[in-house]
């Protein structure tokens, strides 16, 4: 039998196990190629929104790089790798193990039957895998998350986890919007982490066409963001220079603002309400306007003990500001919920207010206004910026 047949045996067994859901793992070892840092490659089946993939984890001395491939592409890569740079492979399936070894042109395979072994379930894979697994993307490099070598930088691991978390939270909310090609406006977009990640996931993985505009007052960030969007081929992602209040949000289906400073969050909510956006989602940042009024004003004396320590005043200001925002959104026909969107190990500013427009769920306006007035009186608050914008 010609030596290359053993390699084809292994590839054929891998292809069948992948198709049948019997693939546990394929490991390539005994690397002797040009990259002195590469140690081994581990391959698993994963299920992403676009379908089943073979996920390759390249284990280097100090880092891992993950790349996902459709089956034909993966098998072509394996064929090249095992005839050139890797001398051994161990295939594990639910029914058998197959060990492959190559010395020069000589190849050996050894097959051993096994029983009682289960393949990792698709659900398990889905849960373990982040929405954005592949790291070989120009925007990840441009934003400094991935280094020249294509691996997530050591000091950007948290950021990478965070943007994946954001995609997990925002993608279903965007998908639920009725519009065929929703317009998402990100107010105070900064470098556009959320916008690149969401666009990449929705347009290329989930195949949900969207348009995203990031609004940002810092011109250089806008220029950089537009250049990176072009370089990534993200045609419907753009950044616009200017302030939130100057931006014409007419036609926006979703208005998002993550950590837009202090009252800029209110500006974003105001624009979202004005546009009658289906979705308004904000992660507020500092809460100076209300904190100052709580410190200067005359909160109910019964709160004295609660407001004695600076750190608790800070937290109360956050709760009061965001409760008032949620109530003002409800007053304007939105259903709201507030929850933590990333672990507080990443940032203490981790509350997300999600408001979905639903006129059927409208609350009695007088009751909402009474609640707002009661909270303001209790905490000695004269004005809330969003109230002023809404002309209340
Ligand atoms: C803390 S950064 C957050 C950036 C981004 N949203 C994120 O989460 O990575 C806040 C950004 O909002 C921008 N910004 C603040 N107020 C703004 C306003 N009124 N109009 C436009 N941009 C604003 C700032 O320039 C800054 O880039």
């Amino acid at each position: 039998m010609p030596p290359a047949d053993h390699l084809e045996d292994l590839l054929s067994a891998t292809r069948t196990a992948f198709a049948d859901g019997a693939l546990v793992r394929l490991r390539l070892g005994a690397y002797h190629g040009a990259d002195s840092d590469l140690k081994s490659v581990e391959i698993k089946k994963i299920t992403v929104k676009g379908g089943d993939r073979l996920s390759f984890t390249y284990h280097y001395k100090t880092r891992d790089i993950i790349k996902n491939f459709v089956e034909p592409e993966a098998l072509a890569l394996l064929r090249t790798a095992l005839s050139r740079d890797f001398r051994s492979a161990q295939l594990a399936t639910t029914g058998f193990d197959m060990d492959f070894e190559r010395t020069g042109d000589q190849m050996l395979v050894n097959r051993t039957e096994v029983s009682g072994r289960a393949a990792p379930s698709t659900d398990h894979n889905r849960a373990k895998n982040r929405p954005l697994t592949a790291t070989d993307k120009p925007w990840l490099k441009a934003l400094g998350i991935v280094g020249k070598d294509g691996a997530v930088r050591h000091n950007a691991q948290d950021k990478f986890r965070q943007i994946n978390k954001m995609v997990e939270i925002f993608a279903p909310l965007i998908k639920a919007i009725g519009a065929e090609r929703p317009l998402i406006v990100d107010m105070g977009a900064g470098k556009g982490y959320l916008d690149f990640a969401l666009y990449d996931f929705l347009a290329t993985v989930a195949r949900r066409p969207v348009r995203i505009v990031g609004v940002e007052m810092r011109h250089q960030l806008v220029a950089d963001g537009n250049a990176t969007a072009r370089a990534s081929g993200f045609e419907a992602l753009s950044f616009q220079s200017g302030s939130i209040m100057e931006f014409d949000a007419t036609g926006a289906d979703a208005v998002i603002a993550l950590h837009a400073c202090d009252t800029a969050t209110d500006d974003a909510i105001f624009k979202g309400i004005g546009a009658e956006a289906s979705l308004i989602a904000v992660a507020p940042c500092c809460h100076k306007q209300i904190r100052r009024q709580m410190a200067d004003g005359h909160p109910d004396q019964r709160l004295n003990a609660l407001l004695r320590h600076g750190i608790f005043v800070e937290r109360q200001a956050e709760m009061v500001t965001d409760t008032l925002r949620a109530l003002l959104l409800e007053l304007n026909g939105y259903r709201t919920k507030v929850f933590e969107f990333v672990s507080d190990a990443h940032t203490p500013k981790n509350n997300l207010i999600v408001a979905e427009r639903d006129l059927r769920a409208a609350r009695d306006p007088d009751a909402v206004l009474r609640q707002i007035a009661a909270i303001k009186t209790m905490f000695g608050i004269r004005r809330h910026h969003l109230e002023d914008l809404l002309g209340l």
Side-chain angles (χ1 to χ4, degrees):
M1 191 182 285
D5 277 3
H6 288 315
L7 176 52
E8 291 308 318
D9 288 346
L10 179 82
L11 295 178
S12 161
T14 304
R15 183 189 298 114
T16 308
F18 173 71
D20 295 349
L23 179 65
V24 176
R25 102 186 62 79
L26 172 65
R27 189 178 174 283
L28 313 187
Y31 177 75
H32 62 112
D35 188 339
S36 59
D37 281 353
L38 182 59
K39 295 286 159 209
S40 62
V41 181
E42 190 138 332
I43 296 132
K44 288 183 304 178
K45 178 176 178 172
I46 62 159
T47 303
V48 292
K49 286 276 158 46
D52 293 338
R53 300 280 186 277
L54 283 149
S55 176
F56 285 47
T57 303
Y58 295 82
H59 294 294
Y60 288 85
K61 259 187 203 154
T62 54
R63 65 191 192 278
D64 290 345
I65 295 181
I66 300 171
K67 294 183 184 176
N68 302 331
F69 302 102
V70 291
E71 187 232 72
E73 205 180 351
L75 289 173
L77 281 170
L78 286 172
R79 186 174 286 109
T80 310
L82 285 166
S83 26
R84 220 176 47 195
D85 296 338
F86 290 88
R87 291 201 189 102
S88 78
Q90 293 87 43
L91 171 67
T93 77
T94 52
F96 62 88
D97 285 341
M98 189 180 262
D99 289 339
F100 166 91
E101 284 206 8
R102 178 176 61 78
T103 313
D105 284 344
Q106 296 300 309
M107 301 185 196
L108 284 175
V109 281
N110 184 28
R111 181 179 160 129
T112 323
E113 304 305 307
V114 297
S115 60
R117 186 192 278 158
S121 77
T122 303
D123 277 353
H124 170 78
N125 281 330
R126 204 194 286 273
K128 267 179 70 177
N129 277 289
R130 297 171 178 162
L132 296 170
T133 47
T135 52
D136 53 341
K137 292 166 185 288
W139 66 269
L140 282 169
K141 272 199 189 123
L143 295 185
I145 293 173
V146 158
K148 282 199 184 102
D149 56 7
V152 176
R153 285 175 197 269
H154 186 63
N155 61 3
Q157 296 285 348
D158 265 7
K159 195 82 200 170
F160 191 51
R161 257 191 296 277
Q162 264 182 48
I163 61 172
N164 266 288
K165 188 75 198 161
M166 287 179 198
V167 172
E168 273 175 33
I169 291 171
F170 284 105
L173 293 169
I174 304 291
K175 281 197 222 164
I177 295 174
E180 200 174 307
R181 198 161 179 240
L183 171 63
I184 302 160
V185 180
D186 179 20
M187 302 292 200
K191 286 177 151 193
Y193 291 106
L194 172 72
D195 309 311
F196 282 102
L198 251 190
Y199 189 94
D200 190 348
F201 180 76
L202 289 170
T204 65
V205 181
R207 309 237 173 255
R208 170 76 161 106
V210 288
R211 294 164 291 157
I212 301 185
V213 178
V215 178
E216 170 55 53
M217 60 173 28
R218 288 188 281 171
H219 304 301
Q220 192 56 52
L221 294 186
V222 170
D224 293 347
N226 281 326
T228 305
R230 275 196 301 275
S232 304
F234 293 172
E235 285 166 12
L237 169 62
S238 63
F239 294 86
Q240 194 165 313
S241 188
S243 82
I244 296 170
M245 284 307 280
E246 283 161 5
F247 183 78
D248 178 1
T250 312
D253 296 290
V255 172
I256 296 174
L258 298 187
H259 300 148
C261 321
D262 199 13
T263 52
T265 296
D266 297 310
D267 297 345
I269 295 175
F270 174 65
K271 287 287 175 173
I273 291 174
E276 299 186 353
S278 304
L279 173 73
I280 299 174
V282 295
C285 188
C286 34
H287 299 76
K288 287 192 205 124
Q289 194 211 12
I290 294 299
R291 191 189 194 291
R292 239 180 264 123
Q293 291 184 59
M294 278 169 54
D296 300 348
H298 302 285
D300 187 320
Q301 298 226 329
R302 285 169 296 179
L303 296 177
N304 283 356
L306 277 175
L307 299 179
R308 193 156 64 99
H309 304 287
I311 180 68
F312 293 141
V313 177
E314 180 79 41
R315 290 188 188 163
Q316 288 286 355
E318 182 180 317
M319 281 169 58
V320 171
T321 310
D322 294 339
T323 300
L324 290 174
R325 284 173 175 151
L327 286 168
L328 289 165
L329 278 158
E330 284 165 23
L331 190 65
N332 284 277
Y334 286 83
R335 248 183 310 115
T336 61
K337 42 191 182 202
V338 180
F339 54 89
E340 275 192 349
F341 77 116
V342 287
S343 151
D344 61 6
H346 301 306
T347 164
K349 304 295 178 194
N350 61 349
N351 292 333
L352 186 69
I353 304 174
V354 172
E356 287 169 289
R357 191 168 156 83
D358 182 358
L359 297 179
R360 288 164 311 170
R363 295 182 50 193
D364 170 12
D366 290 336
V368 179
L369 286 168
R370 276 197 301 277
Q371 279 181 333
I372 291 172
I375 293 171
K376 285 170 62 188
T377 306
M378 190 187 306
F379 288 93
I381 294 158
R382 294 176 303 282
R383 299 300 304 163
H384 187 298
H385 187 61
L386 184 54
E387 272 185 314
D388 290 339
L389 292 173
L390 291 167
L392 290 172

